[in-house]
Amino acid sequence: MNVMRAFGLLAPVSLIALVSAASPAAAADCGARFCPDVTTGEGNLTATYLEQAPGGSGLASNNAPIHHPYTYRLSHPCVIDDRENGGCRPSDFRECPAPPGRVVEDLVPEQRRLVIPGPDNTTTTIDGYPPRDAPVGAPVGEWIVGERGCIDITALNPPPSPAEVFRYFETLPLPELTTRHQPPGDGLTGLPVIFYTDSLTTQTFTVDIRGFQVVIQATAEQFTWHTGDPTGQITTTDPGRPYPDQTIEHDYRTGTYTASLTVTWSATFTVNGSTPADVPGTTTTDGPPVTFDVRQARIVLTNPYD
């Protein structure tokens, strides 16, 4: 590896500007059903090496040449702004285009000198900053703030963020809840039709996201009953119950109707057994439709002696 490509050797005081571009290797198909956009949140990461990838983007890793003269930390612009100005700004939040299967973030790189071997069994630093008694490999001096840009941090394998988990959540095979109605078969005018579902309203999934075990607990939080008549729909937060404890009813005129159920799912997730966190968004499923007739009941006089 040509260490002259390393950011620390390209600019001793200020890292070069990073522009958003995908390397040919990074553009390879991720081989999954989908390639989610991901984020690392608003913290910072550490790296032992930061180099310029083909095309000009930043590429961070923990695979540095021996006696590399810098160590790095990569911070969200909001972290830097809060540290220097006491708060974040709207301009601190920007998305970087990411090739399939890569994690590319808008970050501010900072570098700190490492003590390296000098001539005649002495020690030194890349720019002559005095190492004093620090051993080879020890960081010395202050952090040097570089220029903000898009950096590929896939090799650092940050834990899945809520946004990344949400992309997986949207593709999970959530159950399609079945619409039940009473009376079974045909209904009668003047007698409300009862709706409910007896399908499961919770579901647990365990997925692997870049080597992290993520457990997603999905819960049906809203039920939209499409009645099939001009009144439109009924929205509830419970799945209903059958007679005689019914909670969802609807009156129909004579005719043939097709009803169905749309369920809105929310979720929480854990990463490698962490404390549960909310998935930032919901998704929906549509259950199979059910068709029934509603008939007019007519009084018919009969002779009880016939």
Side-chain angles (χ1 to χ4, degrees):
M1 178 181 295
N2 183 358
V3 297
M4 289 303 294
R5 295 172 58 205
F7 277 81
L9 298 183
L10 283 170
V13 178
S14 175
L15 303 187
I16 66 169
L18 306 175
V19 296
S20 174
S23 68
D29 185 6
C30 63
R33 287 186 304 159
F34 63 97
C35 301
D37 296 329
V38 297
T39 179
T40 58
E42 297 178 12
N44 57 54
L45 296 168
T46 59
T48 59
Y49 196 56
L50 186 61
E51 64 176 321
Q52 185 177 16
S57 63
L59 183 62
S61 73
N62 286 320
N63 184 25
I66 188 171
H67 301 318
H68 182 60
Y70 290 100
T71 187
Y72 306 91
R73 69 182 181 191
L74 313 171
S75 301
H76 190 279
C78 180
V79 173
I80 302 295
D81 217 13
D82 183 60
R83 185 179 70 200
E84 296 181 353
N85 304 308
C88 300
R89 295 177 295 181
S91 59
D92 290 335
F93 303 92
R94 184 180 65 187
E95 292 187 7
C96 286
R102 308 300 294 182
V103 185
V104 181
E105 282 298 315
D106 177 29
L107 297 168
V108 177
E110 298 176 88
Q111 63 181 10
R112 193 179 182 192
R113 305 170 186 86
L114 295 177
V115 177
I116 57 177
D120 301 324
N121 296 320
T122 61
T123 56
T124 186
T125 58
I126 184 65
D127 58 358
Y129 186 92
R132 303 189 186 280
D133 297 327
V136 171
V140 293
E142 301 295 327
W143 287 99
I144 302 170
V145 180
E147 295 189 41
R148 172 183 176 180
C150 292
I151 302 177
D152 187 322
I153 57 173
T154 309
L156 303 179
N157 200 27
S161 69
E164 185 176 3
V165 174
F166 176 63
R167 291 297 301 271
Y168 277 78
F169 174 52
E170 288 184 300
T171 68
L172 293 176
L174 292 166
E176 299 174 352
L177 274 57
T178 302
T179 301
R180 304 294 186 189
H181 67 97
Q182 290 178 324
D186 295 340
L188 294 173
T189 57
L191 180 66
V193 173
I194 298 169
F195 288 115
Y196 68 97
T197 182
D198 53 9
S199 303
L200 291 175
T201 56
T202 61
Q203 195 83 24
T204 301
F205 300 88
T206 300
V207 297
D208 182 281
I209 302 180
R210 297 185 284 104
F212 293 90
Q213 184 182 73
V214 179
V215 177
I216 300 174
Q217 177 73 43
T219 302
E221 69 169 25
Q222 181 174 286
F223 304 82
T224 302
W225 309 85
H226 304 283
T227 60
D229 69 354
T231 61
Q233 60 192 33
I234 304 169
T235 300
T236 67
T237 56
D238 73 275
R241 298 185 183 92
Y243 178 86
D245 301 316
Q246 69 270 20
T247 59
I248 303 166
E249 297 180 337
H250 188 65
D251 292 313
Y252 286 94
R253 295 183 177 182
T254 303
T256 300
Y257 302 94
T258 297
S260 62
L261 174 61
T262 296
V263 176
T264 300
W265 298 85
S266 61
T268 61
F269 74 97
T270 61
V271 179
N272 291 352
S274 67
T275 301
D278 291 332
V279 175
T282 60
T283 189
T284 60
T285 58
D286 295 315
V290 57
T291 300
F292 54 89
D293 293 324
V294 175
R295 302 182 183 277
Q296 175 71 51
R298 295 189 300 171
I299 299 175
V300 177
L301 298 178
T302 61
N303 187 342
Y305 299 103
D306 288 345

